Amino acid sequence: MHGISLDRYDLAILSVLQKNSALTNSELGERVSLSPSQCSRRKARLEAEGVIKGYSARLDATSLGFGLRAITRVNLKAHGESMDDDFVTLLTKHAMVREAYSVSGDADYVLHVIAKDLTEFSDFIHHHLLPHPNVTQVRSEIILRSMKEEQGLPVSGS
């Protein structure tokens, strides 16, 4: 793992924290068979080494009014560092773009986009994405139903 040594307790801590990062060190210790102080030290080390990048709450998009999710594939007319940077700058200006990946295959970029509704999504596509001078093609699939959404990484240890 890139020079980071993780034992079974570290892996167990990571696995448990991915499911519930709000646990106290005492609760965490009970689940991984370590004392609260040992959990605290190990968590601090994992944070310092960058294995744990942060903590967050998982929110329900529908409850917050985001009724539409889409996977959007984008092709650019030309490539070059400044052109790619310009496109990435566009993406960072729009919070509805939740994830963006440069990919191989038939698209240059794949975006995960959320919107309140189809009108908001359409406005984003027609008023921001398509008018970008380097965008040549946009194809979107609306997510109808989620079959599987795994959070975190498949670490063993719990």
Side-chain angles (χ1 to χ4, degrees), residues 6-7 9-10 13 17 24-26 28-29 32 34-49 52 55:
L6 302 175
D7 64 18
Y9 292 109
D10 293 327
I13 288 169
L17 286 176
T24 66
N25 285 326
S26 180
L28 180 60
V32 300
L34 287 174
S35 71
S37 62
Q38 289 174 313
C39 284
S40 177
R41 283 192 297 277
R42 285 174 178 266
K43 274 177 46 182
R45 180 180 60 84
L46 292 167
E47 292 165 357
E49 291 179 346
I52 297 175
Y55 301 92

Short mmCIF file of all heavy atoms in Angstrom, two decimals, residues 6-7 9-10 13 17 24-26 28-29 32 34-49 52 55:
data_model
loop_
_atom_site.label_atom_id
_atom_site.label_comp_id
_atom_site.label_asym_id
_atom_site.label_seq_id
_atom_site.Cartn_x
_atom_site.Cartn_y
_atom_site.Cartn_z
N LEU A 6 -0.42 -1.46 7.20
CA LEU A 6 -1.69 -1.56 7.90
C LEU A 6 -1.86 -2.98 8.42
O LEU A 6 -1.73 -3.94 7.67
CB LEU A 6 -2.86 -1.22 6.96
CG LEU A 6 -2.84 0.16 6.31
CD1 LEU A 6 -3.98 0.29 5.32
CD2 LEU A 6 -2.92 1.25 7.36
N ASP A 7 -2.14 -3.10 9.71
CA ASP A 7 -2.39 -4.42 10.27
C ASP A 7 -3.89 -4.67 10.34
O ASP A 7 -4.70 -3.85 9.90
CB ASP A 7 -1.72 -4.59 11.64
CG ASP A 7 -2.27 -3.66 12.71
OD1 ASP A 7 -3.38 -3.11 12.55
OD2 ASP A 7 -1.58 -3.50 13.74
N TYR A 9 -5.95 -4.60 12.75
CA TYR A 9 -6.69 -3.62 13.55
C TYR A 9 -6.94 -2.34 12.76
O TYR A 9 -8.02 -1.76 12.82
CB TYR A 9 -5.96 -3.31 14.86
CG TYR A 9 -5.95 -4.48 15.81
CD1 TYR A 9 -4.77 -5.18 16.06
CD2 TYR A 9 -7.11 -4.90 16.45
CE1 TYR A 9 -4.75 -6.26 16.93
CE2 TYR A 9 -7.11 -5.98 17.32
CZ TYR A 9 -5.92 -6.66 17.56
OH TYR A 9 -5.92 -7.72 18.42
N ASP A 10 -5.91 -1.90 12.03
CA ASP A 10 -6.08 -0.72 11.19
C ASP A 10 -7.18 -0.95 10.16
O ASP A 10 -8.05 -0.09 9.94
CB ASP A 10 -4.78 -0.37 10.45
CG ASP A 10 -3.66 0.07 11.38
OD1 ASP A 10 -3.96 0.71 12.41
OD2 ASP A 10 -2.49 -0.21 11.06
N ILE A 13 -10.55 -0.90 11.84
CA ILE A 13 -10.93 0.49 12.14
C ILE A 13 -11.45 1.18 10.88
O ILE A 13 -12.50 1.83 10.90
CB ILE A 13 -9.75 1.27 12.76
CG1 ILE A 13 -9.50 0.78 14.20
CG2 ILE A 13 -9.97 2.77 12.71
CD1 ILE A 13 -8.20 1.27 14.81
N LEU A 17 -15.23 2.56 10.46
CA LEU A 17 -15.42 4.00 10.27
C LEU A 17 -16.12 4.33 8.96
O LEU A 17 -16.87 5.30 8.89
CB LEU A 17 -14.08 4.73 10.34
CG LEU A 17 -13.47 4.87 11.72
CD1 LEU A 17 -12.10 5.52 11.63
CD2 LEU A 17 -14.38 5.65 12.66
N THR A 24 -17.78 7.06 18.78
CA THR A 24 -16.76 7.50 19.73
C THR A 24 -15.63 6.48 19.71
O THR A 24 -15.79 5.35 19.23
CB THR A 24 -17.33 7.60 21.15
OG1 THR A 24 -17.68 6.27 21.59
CG2 THR A 24 -18.54 8.52 21.21
N ASN A 25 -14.48 6.85 20.25
CA ASN A 25 -13.37 5.90 20.33
C ASN A 25 -13.74 4.70 21.18
O ASN A 25 -13.28 3.59 20.93
CB ASN A 25 -12.12 6.60 20.86
CG ASN A 25 -11.49 7.48 19.81
OD1 ASN A 25 -11.52 7.18 18.62
ND2 ASN A 25 -10.93 8.60 20.24
N SER A 26 -14.57 4.91 22.17
CA SER A 26 -15.03 3.80 23.02
C SER A 26 -15.88 2.82 22.20
O SER A 26 -15.68 1.60 22.28
CB SER A 26 -15.82 4.34 24.21
OG SER A 26 -16.25 3.29 25.03
N LEU A 28 -15.93 2.52 18.94
CA LEU A 28 -15.06 1.95 17.93
C LEU A 28 -14.22 0.83 18.53
O LEU A 28 -14.09 -0.25 17.94
CB LEU A 28 -14.17 3.04 17.32
CG LEU A 28 -13.19 2.63 16.23
CD1 LEU A 28 -13.92 2.02 15.03
CD2 LEU A 28 -12.36 3.83 15.80
N GLY A 29 -13.68 1.08 19.70
CA GLY A 29 -12.86 0.08 20.39
C GLY A 29 -13.62 -1.21 20.65
O GLY A 29 -13.07 -2.31 20.50
N VAL A 32 -13.80 -3.22 17.37
CA VAL A 32 -12.55 -3.76 16.81
C VAL A 32 -11.64 -4.42 17.86
O VAL A 32 -10.52 -4.79 17.55
CB VAL A 32 -11.76 -2.67 16.03
CG1 VAL A 32 -12.59 -2.12 14.88
CG2 VAL A 32 -11.27 -1.57 16.94
N LEU A 34 -10.19 -3.17 20.65
CA LEU A 34 -9.06 -2.36 21.12
C LEU A 34 -9.57 -1.38 22.16
O LEU A 34 -10.77 -1.07 22.20
CB LEU A 34 -8.43 -1.57 19.96
CG LEU A 34 -7.60 -2.31 18.94
CD1 LEU A 34 -7.20 -1.38 17.80
CD2 LEU A 34 -6.36 -2.94 19.57
N SER A 35 -8.66 -0.84 22.95
CA SER A 35 -9.05 0.18 23.92
C SER A 35 -9.34 1.49 23.20
O SER A 35 -8.84 1.73 22.10
CB SER A 35 -7.93 0.39 24.94
OG SER A 35 -6.84 1.05 24.33
N PRO A 36 -10.13 2.36 23.83
CA PRO A 36 -10.41 3.67 23.21
C PRO A 36 -9.13 4.46 22.91
O PRO A 36 -9.02 5.09 21.86
CB PRO A 36 -11.27 4.38 24.25
CG PRO A 36 -11.93 3.28 25.00
CD PRO A 36 -10.91 2.16 25.04
N SER A 37 -8.14 4.40 23.81
CA SER A 37 -6.90 5.15 23.58
C SER A 37 -6.12 4.58 22.39
O SER A 37 -5.54 5.34 21.61
CB SER A 37 -6.03 5.18 24.84
OG SER A 37 -5.65 3.87 25.21
N GLN A 38 -6.12 3.25 22.24
CA GLN A 38 -5.46 2.66 21.08
C GLN A 38 -6.17 3.06 19.78
O GLN A 38 -5.51 3.37 18.78
CB GLN A 38 -5.42 1.13 21.20
CG GLN A 38 -4.48 0.61 22.26
CD GLN A 38 -4.60 -0.89 22.43
OE1 GLN A 38 -5.70 -1.43 22.52
NE2 GLN A 38 -3.46 -1.56 22.47
N CYS A 39 -7.49 3.07 19.81
CA CYS A 39 -8.25 3.51 18.62
C CYS A 39 -7.93 4.96 18.29
O CYS A 39 -7.74 5.30 17.11
CB CYS A 39 -9.75 3.35 18.87
SG CYS A 39 -10.31 1.64 18.76
N SER A 40 -7.87 5.79 19.30
CA SER A 40 -7.57 7.21 19.09
C SER A 40 -6.21 7.39 18.44
O SER A 40 -6.06 8.15 17.47
CB SER A 40 -7.64 7.95 20.42
OG SER A 40 -7.29 9.30 20.23
N ARG A 41 -5.19 6.69 18.96
CA ARG A 41 -3.84 6.79 18.39
C ARG A 41 -3.79 6.28 16.95
O ARG A 41 -3.19 6.89 16.08
CB ARG A 41 -2.83 6.02 19.26
CG ARG A 41 -2.43 6.75 20.53
CD ARG A 41 -1.23 6.10 21.20
NE ARG A 41 -1.49 4.74 21.64
CZ ARG A 41 -2.08 4.41 22.80
NH1 ARG A 41 -2.47 5.34 23.63
NH2 ARG A 41 -2.26 3.14 23.12
N ARG A 42 -4.44 5.15 16.72
CA ARG A 42 -4.43 4.57 15.38
C ARG A 42 -5.18 5.48 14.39
O ARG A 42 -4.72 5.68 13.27
CB ARG A 42 -5.04 3.17 15.39
CG ARG A 42 -4.09 2.13 15.98
CD ARG A 42 -4.78 0.77 16.10
NE ARG A 42 -3.90 -0.24 16.61
CZ ARG A 42 -3.17 -1.07 15.87
NH1 ARG A 42 -3.24 -1.01 14.55
NH2 ARG A 42 -2.38 -1.97 16.43
N LYS A 43 -6.33 6.01 14.80
CA LYS A 43 -7.07 6.94 13.93
C LYS A 43 -6.22 8.16 13.60
O LYS A 43 -6.15 8.59 12.45
CB LYS A 43 -8.37 7.39 14.60
CG LYS A 43 -9.53 6.48 14.39
CD LYS A 43 -10.79 6.92 15.11
CE LYS A 43 -11.13 8.37 14.98
NZ LYS A 43 -12.32 8.77 15.74
N ALA A 44 -5.56 8.71 14.60
CA ALA A 44 -4.71 9.89 14.39
C ALA A 44 -3.59 9.57 13.40
O ALA A 44 -3.27 10.39 12.52
CB ALA A 44 -4.15 10.38 15.71
N ARG A 45 -2.99 8.39 13.51
CA ARG A 45 -1.92 8.00 12.58
C ARG A 45 -2.47 7.83 11.17
O ARG A 45 -1.89 8.30 10.20
CB ARG A 45 -1.25 6.70 13.04
CG ARG A 45 -0.13 6.24 12.10
CD ARG A 45 0.54 4.94 12.56
NE ARG A 45 -0.36 3.83 12.66
CZ ARG A 45 -0.73 3.04 11.63
NH1 ARG A 45 -0.28 3.28 10.41
NH2 ARG A 45 -1.54 2.04 11.80
N LEU A 46 -3.63 7.17 11.05
CA LEU A 46 -4.24 6.97 9.73
C LEU A 46 -4.62 8.30 9.08
O LEU A 46 -4.50 8.47 7.87
CB LEU A 46 -5.46 6.04 9.86
CG LEU A 46 -5.14 4.59 10.23
CD1 LEU A 46 -6.41 3.85 10.65
CD2 LEU A 46 -4.42 3.88 9.11
N GLU A 47 -5.06 9.25 9.89
CA GLU A 47 -5.36 10.59 9.38
C GLU A 47 -4.08 11.30 8.95
O GLU A 47 -4.01 11.89 7.87
CB GLU A 47 -6.08 11.42 10.45
CG GLU A 47 -7.47 10.93 10.76
CD GLU A 47 -8.06 11.48 12.05
OE1 GLU A 47 -7.35 12.23 12.78
OE2 GLU A 47 -9.22 11.16 12.33
N ALA A 48 -3.05 11.24 9.79
CA ALA A 48 -1.78 11.92 9.49
C ALA A 48 -1.12 11.35 8.24
O ALA A 48 -0.50 12.09 7.47
CB ALA A 48 -0.83 11.81 10.68
N GLU A 49 -1.27 10.04 8.02
CA GLU A 49 -0.67 9.41 6.85
C GLU A 49 -1.52 9.57 5.59
O GLU A 49 -1.14 9.14 4.51
CB GLU A 49 -0.41 7.92 7.13
CG GLU A 49 0.70 7.71 8.15
CD GLU A 49 0.94 6.23 8.46
OE1 GLU A 49 0.08 5.38 8.11
OE2 GLU A 49 1.98 5.94 9.06
N ILE A 52 -6.99 8.15 5.98
CA ILE A 52 -8.31 8.74 6.23
C ILE A 52 -8.22 10.19 5.76
O ILE A 52 -7.47 10.99 6.32
CB ILE A 52 -8.69 8.67 7.73
CG1 ILE A 52 -8.82 7.22 8.17
CG2 ILE A 52 -10.00 9.43 7.97
CD1 ILE A 52 -9.07 7.05 9.67
N TYR A 55 -14.02 13.17 7.13
CA TYR A 55 -15.27 12.56 7.58
C TYR A 55 -16.42 13.38 7.03
O TYR A 55 -16.32 14.60 6.89
CB TYR A 55 -15.33 12.56 9.12
CG TYR A 55 -14.18 11.80 9.75
CD1 TYR A 55 -13.01 12.44 10.12
CD2 TYR A 55 -14.27 10.44 9.96
CE1 TYR A 55 -11.96 11.76 10.69
CE2 TYR A 55 -13.22 9.74 10.52
CZ TYR A 55 -12.07 10.39 10.89
OH TYR A 55 -11.03 9.70 11.45
#
